[in-house]
Amino acid sequence: MSPILSPIILYAGLALGALGVALAMPRRGLNPQMIGALVAGIAVGAVLIALAVVGLRAGEGLPGAFFYVFALIGLGSALRVITHQRPVYAALYFVLTIIASAGLFLLLAAEFMTFALVIIYAGAILITYLFVIMLATEAPTEETLEALSEYDAVSREPIAATVVGFALLGALSGMLAFGVPGLPGPEGASPAQGLARLPGKVRAFVEGLGVADEVAPAAFLPDRLAGPLTSPERVEEYNTWRRSHSQIILTSAGGEGTVGLVQLVPLDPGSFKARYEASLTDPDDEAGLPSALMDRIAEIPGLPAYFEDSVTGLATLTVALPEALAPTNIETVGLALVGEHPLSLELAGVILLLAMVGAVVLARKQTEVEEERKALAAHRLGLGVEGGAS
Amino acid sequence: MSDPTTMLLAASAGAPDSSVAWLLQVPLLPLLACLLCGLFRAWGVTSKLPGYTTVLLLAVAFVVTLSGYLSFGGHGAQVVHGFDWLRVSWGDGPGETLSAGFSLYIDSLTWLWMLFVTGLATLIALYSTEYMAEDQKTGGYARYFSFFSLFVFMMSCLVMSDNLLLLYLGWEGVGLCSYLLIGYHYTKPSAVAAAKKAFIVNRVGDLGLALGLMLTFVHFGTLEYREIFARLAEIQAVVEAGGSAPWQVELIPLLLMVGAFGKSAQLPLYVWLPDAMEGPTPVSALIHAATMVTAGVYLVARFLPMFALSPAALGTVAWVGAGTALLAATIGMAQYDIKRVMAYSTVSQLGYMFLGLGVLTATGAAYHVFTHAFFKATLFLACGAVMHGFAGQLDLRRLSGLAKVPGWRVTAVAMLVGCLCLAGFVGTSGFFSKDMILAEAFVTPGPGYRLLGWIGLATAGLTAYYAFRVYFRVFHGPVEFHAGEEHHGDDGHDDHGHGFHPHAPGWAINLVLIALVIGSLAAAAPYFIDKEHHGWVGGLVHSSTAGEIVRASAGHGEAAAHAGEAAAAEHGGFFGDPHRWMFLASSVVGAIGILLAWVIHMTGRVSADRAPIADALKARLRPWSTLAEKKWLVDELYDALIRRPLRLLAHILALIDQALVDGLVDGVGFAPRLFGKSLRPSQNGLLQNYAVGMGGGLVFILLVVWALS
Amino acid sequence: MTALLAQASAFGSVTLYHYLFVSAALFALGVIGFLSRRNLIIMFLCTELMFQGAGLALIAFGRHWMNPTGQVFVIFVLTIAAAEAALALGLVVYLYRRKSTLDAQAWAELAG
């Protein structure tokens, strides 16, 4: 794998970034935070521009403009989070970081996560942080309105921390840029597979096509249902019979077919086609598919239909599904979450419950202890007074 | 009388005889006594039960030994198999199986030793029941008898074992019991020091024995006597045919000899024995005079066939024996502590025994062991009676004329008889046994053996002098005594001196003393029983392995000695028969010694510590008298030559240990601590610091992944 | 919407790498802030920044591979962030009441 980025540019950028971050860290005396932030911004920008140039060379224009915007906002506000001397501002900058990364999530087609992030992080967690910051800060007086706590104003060994952090970043980005062979990814998955797990969706579509109606074996229609459907009762009765005799069961490719099935065959990545197989065999009758029905199906207009294996009466109908039928992000995530990781979901719930219980205990205990101590002290005091008196 | 040779060989080849398994009682009864006394101690028995139990069981052991001896007649060898104690095999070939059974090898040498060991142990245990009575309440009484019985068990193992490993067990076991009993008064620092000294000095000797044992196994592939003796007979045949013995066979006796020197207190390892007198006197009598210290003599006698093949070892044994005899006698002359005099006399007499072995008269050595066991036990127990009665007083300058004190007649007679035997007075048991050794020293060819004879003769004179020095000073002369430092709580006496009433020995002590006096005198009788082999003991030795090889060995031993006698007889005259010559010579020398003691220590003596001639002589002979009194500074010499260099070495090693080893070890601990100390600031509790580590680690992992991919 | 769908796997000239770079930069800024700021609340805000970076990367990857799991992950991240915010801010208030300061250094005594 050839390097996608010149190592000189990358490491020079990282070194510059490290310098900038180190300068930006809060310290006593001369505090060139702005210069540091500028230097760091230039460095990150240089690296990102270098990456964009790579994209340009590939001749694909600059379609990822939003990416660069969000990335710069996110990284810049992250720098402010770690360098701002006032915790409240740091928390607010963190909100900005979150919103920026939510934008990146959106670019990555993770719409659900985008909104979850904004709601949970920015909406819930960060508010908690702000509350705690306010709880755990000395109430300002007239004189100390602008005073900063020592531990906020001065960072601890900023250079060492920067070196460690950028060493980590260097290792990570070096691995990214110059490639790590021998780490194969998982098999590619297509939206068709996700769709195969949404039978209702496909069924609705297929039924919407009217195929089921057409395919419905009218030949097996009982005598009492023959004839024109004159009354609503008859229509209802007819529909009930039709549903019970025209099952569409969707399974993923290669699944065991039953009475009828829709196979979604990924013909090409961008489009879907469903193969609709309907067994028109009456479960009670082994006589096979009547030729009359065959003819009837063949006359269905507008459908690229074909029937084969007339002996067993297995009819296969390949239907092209529209792209719009592809599962949405929420559907995919939901399926993955509930279908593939049910145990983890349960565990996450348990953890949340425990955290809640823990928070409650933590909150209760300290007050109780203090009250008990006060009661005890009062008791002792009383005893001492009594002892002194007697 | 059947030919002992064939009997011995037949027995050697025969399988263990299970019909005589009851002989196992001999070692096991003392063991039972030991366990029972241990239980009594645990149960807190404060009566004399442990003592009487021990006496009873030891007496039964003696009776068993005696009946065993009478029913087997003391000829040939028998093996009584108890159980397989140890059997390690790492192959099928010869010498690849180490087996040692708890088995008894019974021949006449064993009988001789076991008879006096069990007999004397019984008598001395009886004596101890009274002697140790003061310790009944503290529980030391049961402990004492437990150790005492254990000693007899270990001694039985040593003497009766049929293999070297069981002998080694007994050897170490008696050493342990000796240690325990010397340190019986474990609150007394001098006793503890003496116990440690005995144990440590014995380690030197035991190292030699252990090496000899290993070399024996390596060379012979077995530790069992029967097989070793069978192999020795082959080697001897080779030597007789003009060949030479393998170097191992010449080396093993030297190693065994080192062990024997340690256990039997010979130069240069004798220093522990005088100090061992810190133990209770009965212990001194049994272990450190009569039995344990003769274990070395037993070992050499048992392996005399092997020694006979190693002229170097034999010569060393003879010279060391004579040297020890002379040195110990000179020290004994100048000591004031009567128990210490007896201790040095023991060392000296043991020297005689080794001299006897060295000049290949196992008979003489064994007979001297036998007689010495009786008269030295008598002497010690008499000393013990004095010590017991005079609150631990042992200084002959503070005791005088005891024979005239009522109740001490038996003790005085026992002392007299013991001294006579020790001095080798005509007709006493010591006279015959000592003469046998001295006479053989004069006639046996060997490196300077004739000189050894003269040394022995001179030592006999010194022996007579110091024995009677003690007797005359303590039991005769003006009546005067001072109590020792051990007060008897129940006597209620204040300080020593006026008002002190010695308590005369009771029935148990007197009974034992009388028995031992009779035994000491009667020990002369065996000399006349079996005239063919120089007495009964000679007969026993003759039919044992020792006599076997000695007789067969050409160029050495009594056979040659007899040849020499015959040659000497041809010259005719009085000096023809060395034994007759020696009877006269030693009588005269002994008499001179006794006379000198009389003159020096009796004439003109007015008080316990003033004998004009002795004091004058002492002043005249300075500095030699002082040196002898200070034991020729041997202890100081050892201190300077061995202990101080060792201590210096230990200090140096300790320094090395502290500086180098500890430094290394501390360094091992220090490095991580330094590392941790340098890392500690990173753990300052600041959240961000940890986060820096996390971030750095993440970067590192990313870079590694990147570099690897 | 339709136009977006038409870009199904290609982002036009803005490739996956652009998004990943931005997400990495957000994450790194969060790290820097977390390491250097001393105010406990700002430190938590910085962790939220890091969440944003991670979430952006997840969604970009999901889009790239046409896999909704990426978005599902972000839902969980949001959930955890909400839980964390509730607890952590509760703790911050508690700590502030104890020491009347929001300085992280004031709690260095918790060093192990």
Side-chain angles (χ1 to χ4, degrees), chain B residues 539-573:
Chain B
L540 288 180
V541 173
H542 255 272
S543 50
S544 75
T545 50
E548 167 68 18
I549 304 295
V550 167
R551 223 177 22 261
S553 167
H556 290 297
E558 286 181 27
H562 288 303
E565 284 170 35
E570 280 174 17
H571 291 285

Side-chain angles (χ1 to χ4, degrees), chain B residues 181-459:
Chain B
L181 286 167
I182 295 170
Y184 173 77
H185 300 293
Y186 54 80
T187 51
K188 200 167 138 193
S190 63
V192 174
K196 279 195 288 191
K197 187 173 181 181
F199 204 72
I200 292 167
V201 172
N202 266 303
R203 294 273 70 69
V204 181
D206 293 352
L207 175 68
L209 178 62
L211 289 176
L213 199 148
M214 294 172 199
L215 191 58
T216 305
F217 183 73
V218 169
H219 183 64
F220 292 104
T222 179
L223 290 173
E224 288 179 11
Y225 293 168
R226 281 181 306 158
E227 297 177 32
I228 294 173
F229 289 138
R231 293 284 303 279
L232 278 176
E234 294 168 14
I235 295 169
Q236 192 165 7
V238 172
V239 172
E240 277 170 18
S244 60
W247 63 270
Q248 291 97 332
V249 175
E250 303 214 358
L251 182 58
I252 292 169
L254 282 168
L255 291 170
L256 296 182
M257 184 185 76
V258 174
F261 284 174
K263 194 59 83 190
S264 292
Q266 294 299 294
L267 271 175
L269 301 175
Y270 75 92
V271 288
W272 66 271
L273 187 58
D275 285 7
M277 298 305 139
E278 290 287 347
T281 307
V283 170
S284 304
L286 179 69
I287 301 183
H288 302 125
T291 55
M292 184 188 85
V293 289
T294 65
V297 181
Y298 170 80
L299 182 70
V300 178
R302 174 59 80 198
F303 285 95
L304 204 56
M306 211 188 288
F307 279 80
L309 293 170
S310 174
L314 267 187
T316 316
V317 167
W319 272 96
V320 167
T324 311
L326 181 61
L327 182 84
T330 54
I331 298 176
M333 284 166 63
Q335 297 299 308
Y336 291 108
D337 183 323
I338 55 175
K339 237 177 120 177
R340 225 161 246 278
V341 174
M342 293 309 153
Y344 279 107
S345 100
T346 304
V347 175
S348 176
Q349 300 304 308
L350 287 167
Y352 268 115
M353 295 168 204
F354 277 98
L355 174 62
L357 290 169
V359 300
L360 276 173
T361 170
T363 305
Y367 189 36
H368 200 53
V369 167
F370 184 72
T371 58
H372 174 258
F374 282 98
F375 67 70
K376 187 52 61 69
T378 312
L379 283 170
F380 263 115
L381 294 187
C383 287
V386 170
M387 185 182 175
H388 191 61
F390 291 91
Q393 184 58 266
L394 282 171
D395 193 336
L396 53 76
R397 287 168 299 187
R398 304 177 74 80
L399 292 166
S400 181
L402 294 191
K404 295 163 197 156
V405 179
W408 290 90
R409 188 160 301 278
V410 175
T411 312
V413 169
M415 196 71 170
L416 176 61
V417 171
C419 287
L420 283 174
C421 291
L422 178 60
F425 194 74
V426 184
T428 57
S429 54
F431 174 72
F432 294 112
S433 57
K434 201 181 285 183
D435 285 348
M436 211 183 284
I437 294 169
L438 290 178
E440 292 295 339
F442 277 105
V443 297
T444 305
Y449 280 10
R450 196 168 286 271
L451 178 59
L452 293 184
W454 287 110
I455 292 176
L457 199 58
T459 306

Side-chain angles (χ1 to χ4, degrees), chain B residues 683-692 695 698, chain C residues 27 34-38 43 104-105 107-108 111:
Chain B
Q683 297 291 310
N684 57 1
L686 259 181
L687 201 55
Q688 283 113 329
N689 267 26
Y690 305 141
V692 167
L698 187 59
Chain C
F27 189 89
F34 185 82
L35 294 183
S36 63
R37 295 307 297 265
R38 291 159 60 189
M43 282 164 69
Q105 256 162 333
W107 297 94

Side-chain angles (χ1 to χ4, degrees), chain A residues 116-270:
Chain A
L117 196 66
V118 171
I119 294 166
I120 296 176
Y121 250 115
I125 297 180
L126 255 297
I127 296 303
T128 320
Y129 269 93
L130 284 172
F131 270 121
V132 170
I133 287 167
M134 288 178 217
L135 271 176
T137 307
E138 299 274 343
T141 59
E142 287 293 328
E143 300 90 52
T144 61
L145 191 60
E146 295 297 315
L148 282 170
S149 300
E150 157 81 11
Y151 50 80
D152 282 328
V154 180
S155 59
R156 194 186 140 277
E157 300 192 15
I159 294 168
T162 312
V163 168
V164 170
F166 272 84
L168 187 61
L169 181 57
L172 286 171
S173 56
M175 289 169 85
L176 285 177
F178 316 127
V180 181
L183 291 176
E187 282 294 308
S190 71
Q193 282 180 347
L195 197 58
R197 303 176 59 181
L198 296 168
K201 200 170 180 179
V202 180
R203 178 188 178 122
F205 168 72
V206 173
E207 281 183 354
L209 283 178
V211 180
D213 266 343
E214 299 298 334
V215 175
F220 300 135
L221 206 64
D223 291 339
R224 58 186 170 85
L225 290 178
L229 305 175
T230 50
S231 66
E233 291 78 17
R234 276 188 61 85
V235 169
E236 184 54 34
E237 193 179 3
Y238 173 81
N239 283 338
T240 308
W241 179 88
R242 181 175 60 80
R243 284 196 190 93
S244 65
H245 283 76
S246 170
Q247 288 176 307
I248 298 172
I249 293 174
L250 296 158
T251 65
S252 57
E256 292 296 317
T258 47
V259 179
L261 63 94
V262 169
Q263 271 187 327
L264 292 178
V265 185
L267 296 178
D268 68 85

Side-chain angles (χ1 to χ4, degrees), chain B residues 431-628:
Chain B
F431 174 72
F432 294 112
S433 57
K434 201 181 285 183
D435 285 348
M436 211 183 284
I437 294 169
L438 290 178
E440 292 295 339
F442 277 105
V443 297
T444 305
Y449 280 10
R450 196 168 286 271
L451 178 59
L452 293 184
W454 287 110
I455 292 176
L457 199 58
T459 306
L462 300 180
T463 308
Y465 165 74
Y466 69 68
F468 275 90
R469 168 174 172 261
V470 170
Y471 178 71
F472 285 143
R473 289 199 74 141
V474 175
F475 288 91
H476 289 282
V479 177
E480 182 186 345
F481 48 80
H482 305 274
E485 289 164 359
E486 296 170 13
H487 295 282
H488 298 181
D490 50 1
D491 282 352
H493 297 309
D494 47 9
D495 212 352
H496 44 268
H498 306 291
F500 173 74
H501 298 287
H503 66 164
W507 66 270
I509 290 181
N510 279 337
L511 183 70
V512 171
L513 283 177
I514 291 166
L516 282 174
V517 163
I518 295 169
S520 300
L521 291 173
Y527 185 72
F528 303 100
I529 290 176
D530 189 351
K531 218 36 192 157
E532 186 191 345
H533 300 115
H534 296 284
W536 170 73
V537 173
L540 288 180
V541 173
H542 255 272
S543 50
S544 75
T545 50
E548 167 68 18
I549 304 295
V550 167
R551 223 177 22 261
S553 167
H556 290 297
E558 286 181 27
H562 288 303
E565 284 170 35
E570 280 174 17
H571 291 285
F574 177 74
F575 296 101
D577 184 353
H579 289 286
R580 205 172 300 158
W581 183 87
M582 189 50 59
F583 282 158
L584 187 67
S586 71
S587 310
V588 172
V589 169
I592 290 172
I594 297 170
L595 198 64
L596 269 176
W598 171 268
V599 169
I600 294 173
H601 292 286
M602 282 305 290
T603 48
R605 190 148 71 94
V606 288
S607 70
D609 62 340
R610 293 194 64 81
I613 299 178
D615 296 343
L617 263 181
K618 191 183 166 192
R620 195 74 179 272
L621 287 177
R622 228 179 282 277
W624 302 109
S625 57
T626 317
L627 271 179

Side-chain angles (χ1 to χ4, degrees), chain B residues 18-356:
Chain B
S18 61
S19 68
V20 289
W22 53 273
L23 279 174
L24 285 169
Q25 289 177 58
V26 176
L28 292 182
L29 282 169
L31 185 62
L32 177 66
C34 166
L35 295 176
L36 282 177
C37 290
L39 285 177
F40 291 150
R41 174 75 186 84
W43 292 334
V45 172
T46 53
S47 67
K48 283 192 174 178
L49 183 63
Y52 292 133
T53 309
T54 305
V55 172
L56 182 71
L57 288 171
L58 291 182
V60 173
F62 173 66
V63 170
V64 170
T65 312
L66 191 63
S67 56
Y69 168 67
L70 292 176
S71 57
F72 295 111
H75 287 301
Q78 277 167 315
V79 171
V80 183
H81 185 67
F83 58 90
D84 270 348
W85 173 36
L86 203 76
R87 181 174 289 275
V88 185
S89 193
W90 54 94
D92 297 327
E96 291 186 331
T97 301
L98 174 64
S99 76
F102 189 85
S103 306
L104 310 182
Y105 183 86
I106 312 283
D107 72 348
S108 47
L109 201 63
T110 311
W111 287 126
L112 174 64
W113 245 269
M114 282 318 294
L115 278 172
F116 76 78
V117 166
T118 52
L120 280 177
T122 310
L123 284 175
I124 294 172
L126 181 60
Y127 177 96
S128 306
T129 55
E130 181 181 331
Y131 187 88
M132 301 304 295
E134 295 150 30
D135 289 343
Q136 265 170 250
K137 288 194 181 57
T138 61
Y141 197 70
R143 177 163 61 92
Y144 172 84
F145 280 103
S146 183
F147 293 163
F148 194 94
S149 312
L150 184 64
F151 168 76
V152 180
F153 165 70
M154 287 300 181
M155 194 69 197
S156 312
C157 288
L158 197 164
V159 174
M160 301 178 85
S161 121
D162 89 321
N163 58 66
L164 270 172
L165 202 62
L166 188 59
L167 175 135
Y168 192 72
L169 173 78
W171 191 273
E172 295 294 337
V174 293
L176 170 70
C177 295
S178 163
Y179 166 80
L180 291 171
L181 286 167
I182 295 170
Y184 173 77
H185 300 293
Y186 54 80
T187 51
K188 200 167 138 193
S190 63
V192 174
K196 279 195 288 191
K197 187 173 181 181
F199 204 72
I200 292 167
V201 172
N202 266 303
R203 294 273 70 69
V204 181
D206 293 352
L207 175 68
L209 178 62
L211 289 176
L213 199 148
M214 294 172 199
L215 191 58
T216 305
F217 183 73
V218 169
H219 183 64
F220 292 104
T222 179
L223 290 173
E224 288 179 11
Y225 293 168
R226 281 181 306 158
E227 297 177 32
I228 294 173
F229 289 138
R231 293 284 303 279
L232 278 176
E234 294 168 14
I235 295 169
Q236 192 165 7
V238 172
V239 172
E240 277 170 18
S244 60
W247 63 270
Q248 291 97 332
V249 175
E250 303 214 358
L251 182 58
I252 292 169
L254 282 168
L255 291 170
L256 296 182
M257 184 185 76
V258 174
F261 284 174
K263 194 59 83 190
S264 292
Q266 294 299 294
L267 271 175
L269 301 175
Y270 75 92
V271 288
W272 66 271
L273 187 58
D275 285 7
M277 298 305 139
E278 290 287 347
T281 307
V283 170
S284 304
L286 179 69
I287 301 183
H288 302 125
T291 55
M292 184 188 85
V293 289
T294 65
V297 181
Y298 170 80
L299 182 70
V300 178
R302 174 59 80 198
F303 285 95
L304 204 56
M306 211 188 288
F307 279 80
L309 293 170
S310 174
L314 267 187
T316 316
V317 167
W319 272 96
V320 167
T324 311
L326 181 61
L327 182 84
T330 54
I331 298 176
M333 284 166 63
Q335 297 299 308
Y336 291 108
D337 183 323
I338 55 175
K339 237 177 120 177
R340 225 161 246 278
V341 174
M342 293 309 153
Y344 279 107
S345 100
T346 304
V347 175
S348 176
Q349 300 304 308
L350 287 167
Y352 268 115
M353 295 168 204
F354 277 98
L355 174 62

